[in-house]
Amino acid sequence: MSTVEIVAIVTAAAALAVAVWALLQTQKTKHLRSKFGPEYDHVVDREGDRRRAEMELAHREERVKKLHIRELTTHERERFSTEWREEQKRFVDDPRAAVSEADTLVTEVMTVRGYPTTDFNTQLADVSVDHARVVGNYRQAHDIAERSRGGQASTEELRRAMICYRALFEDLLGSTVRENYSEEVRR
Amino acid sequence: METQVQEPLAMPGVVKDKTAAGTPLFKADELQGYRSRWERIQTEFVDEPRRSVEQADELVASVAKRLTDMFAEEKNKLVQAWDKGDSISTEDLRMALRRYRSFFDRLLSV
């Protein structure tokens, strides 16, 4: 083969490698975007760098893959649902305590399902892998709960925190906590 | 601006007089029905605070109406018997007075 031919082949191979690499990157982005939804955008904003954000998200996926996350049993689901309803009721008498208990309950469900109890940010990161759509709610609720500790949250904000916690809670449970009778009350 | 959280309220309707507490005004299943309705209202507050309060108002109004209807009925019976010149047993009158007192005590404890 002549030098020209060799150069042509090497160049073509290199171009192909680059194309394949670019395709893989696009697929990776597509996968992470689709899997993480709004959380993807949040992390990109926070990191200020798409590549770094994608590395962080991919790392999350890897980490959670190694955990043994299991579904709740029917009994556990019922128990948690009942406990949640108690907290919703308690809100009327003591909104701050209700929000604090809701936070604890959500963490308890995560632990029972197999997520390690670490710090809030790691827990949020872990849970975002399979529950990306509601993780924004978790973040919002937690913010309010923090401010509530300093006596800075209004009752309306605490109410919204409950609703946000419940969104994650229900996603973790794989079922809603409201019984059918709540429809009757509405009429 | 939204009001800050108030101190939790004490449970209303706690009657200190033992004798009055022993005179139930509602039958057990009726009482349970009212309590269940209240529980739902309280639980739903988080989702719809205003609707919750509206429903509480309706529930309280219907309980109050039920009570006043009950006492009106009671009073009618007594009045009819008196008008007819029937003698009502002292025991019946004693029970009637205890029911009145039960209601009276609860109203005063508010």
Side-chain angles (χ1 to χ4, degrees):
Chain A
M1 258 195 297
S2 73
T3 318
V4 174
E5 283 171 320
I6 292 170
V7 169
I9 290 167
V10 170
T11 314
L16 184 64
V18 169
V20 168
W21 179 85
L23 182 66
L24 288 175
Q25 288 304 105
T26 313
Q27 281 186 335
K28 181 181 175 193
T29 302
K30 206 164 148 194
H31 162 76
L32 289 172
R33 257 225 166 101
S34 143
K35 177 136 198 179
F36 285 96
E39 181 66 5
Y40 179 95
D41 295 326
H42 176 91
V43 177
V44 168
D45 279 344
R46 193 189 66 201
E47 295 297 311
D49 180 84
R50 183 178 299 276
R51 193 92 70 83
R52 212 165 41 226
E54 290 190 353
M55 262 172 56
E56 139 104 40
L57 292 171
H59 179 65
R60 286 186 197 180
E61 262 191 308
E62 283 309 307
R63 196 171 66 224
V64 170
K65 222 179 265 180
K66 296 194 192 114
L67 301 170
H68 298 293
I69 310 292
R70 68 165 175 88
E71 294 292 324
L72 296 173
T73 64
T74 310
H75 173 76
E76 284 168 337
R77 203 171 278 132
E78 276 171 18
R79 185 205 12 134
F80 282 126
S81 293
T82 305
E83 282 189 48
W84 179 270
R85 271 193 294 276
E86 286 304 304
E87 296 315 321
Q88 262 193 229
K89 256 174 44 192
R90 184 201 292 214
F91 183 88
V92 170
D93 290 303
D94 196 344
R96 276 200 238 146
V99 165
S100 170
E101 287 300 314
D103 188 277
T104 305
L105 197 56
V106 161
T107 306
E108 206 188 320
V109 175
M110 286 198 269
T111 310
V112 168
R113 287 202 61 192
Y115 292 97
T117 335
T118 44
D119 59 287
F120 171 71
N121 285 313
T122 314
Q123 278 172 219
L124 186 144
D126 285 347
V127 109
S128 74
V129 173
D130 293 309
H131 303 274
R133 300 273 169 298
V134 289
V135 106
N137 297 56
Y138 188 29
R139 196 175 273 124
Q140 210 181 323
H142 189 83
D143 277 346
I144 296 172
E146 291 278 284
R147 288 194 306 111
S148 161
R149 267 187 274 277
Q152 301 275 336
S154 71
T155 308
E156 174 57 16
E157 285 178 293
L158 292 171
R159 185 184 76 84
R160 275 191 257 124
M162 289 298 285
I163 309 242
C164 286
Y165 275 126
R166 188 177 61 199
L168 172 63
F169 183 79
E170 288 181 332
D171 218 56
L172 288 166
L173 243 66
S175 69
T176 59
V177 290
R178 291 141 113 181
E179 291 169 352
N180 292 331
Y181 70 55
S182 71
E183 299 310 305
E184 285 167 38
V185 175
R186 252 165 249 291
R187 274 192 233 119
Chain B
M1 197 185 97
E2 259 280 332
T3 49
Q4 295 296 326
V5 172
Q6 317 268 328
E7 282 304 312
L9 294 171
M11 290 301 294
V14 174
V15 179
K16 293 190 178 118
D17 181 351
K18 269 192 253 173
T19 45
T23 314
L25 295 169
F26 290 113
K27 289 200 288 276
D29 57 352
E30 199 176 2
L31 189 65
Q32 189 50 47
Y34 286 129
R35 293 225 180 274
S36 298
R37 274 170 73 183
W38 179 270
E39 295 239 333
R40 285 172 226 160
I41 288 170
Q42 194 168 323
T43 307
E44 288 291 306
F45 179 86
V46 164
D47 285 295
E48 287 183 79
R50 183 166 155 169
R51 183 111 170 81
S52 205
V53 170
E54 283 169 9
Q55 285 171 342
D57 183 78
E58 281 167 26
L59 181 58
V60 167
S62 51
V63 170
K65 180 164 194 315
R66 178 89 181 91
L67 280 170
T68 47
D69 285 350
M70 268 165 54
F71 281 101
E73 231 178 86
E74 173 114 36
K75 186 181 165 203
N76 269 341
K77 273 193 249 155
L78 291 173
V79 165
Q80 274 173 10
W82 279 324
D83 284 349
K84 272 167 51 190
D86 281 354
S87 66
I88 306 163
S89 77
T90 309
E91 181 57 13
D92 283 346
L93 290 169
R94 184 178 79 87
M95 295 313 296
L97 191 66
R98 293 189 84 216
R99 279 191 293 277
Y100 273 110
R101 185 183 62 191
S102 187
F103 188 28
F104 181 72
D105 277 341
R106 281 173 170 81
L107 287 172
L108 287 184
S109 74
V110 161

